[in-house]
Amino acid sequence: MYVCLIGLLQAQFCLSGYDSAAHMSEETKKADVAGPLGMVTAVTGSSILGWLFLISLLMGIHDYQQTMRTSTGFPVTQILLDNFGRSWTIVLM
């Protein structure tokens, strides 16, 4: 169950951007222009930041074989542990 929730987390971050722009468009001036612009900007920003996040995460792998054979069972957690230590990994997770 935990793995499924962690897997859905990235999709939730991406979807929250344009969804909130859609809900806030009715309170903006010139909503016919500002609403779609906010949605496109949210999706573009999420795509760019998500790409940068994935690239930086993959560049943080020190030893691929060790990362795949983790004692934690979660490669992303192991990458954060290798780079930031236990305290900061708990904060970031």
Side-chain angles (χ1 to χ4, degrees), residues 28-65:
T28 61
K29 295 178 183 176
K30 296 184 181 180
D32 58 335
V33 175
L37 182 63
M39 287 185 240
V40 169
T41 304
V43 171
T44 304
S46 294
S47 299
I48 292 169
L49 290 175
W51 184 76
L52 290 173
F53 173 74
L54 289 175
I55 294 297
S56 63
L57 189 67
L58 292 175
M59 294 300 278
I61 297 175
H62 297 291
D63 183 12
Y64 179 76
Q65 295 300 326

Side-chain angles (χ1 to χ4, degrees), residues 80-93:
L80 292 175
L81 276 170
D82 291 344
N83 289 303
F84 297 112
R86 182 174 166 79
S87 300
W88 277 106
T89 299
I90 292 172
V91 169
L92 292 171
M93 292 299 286

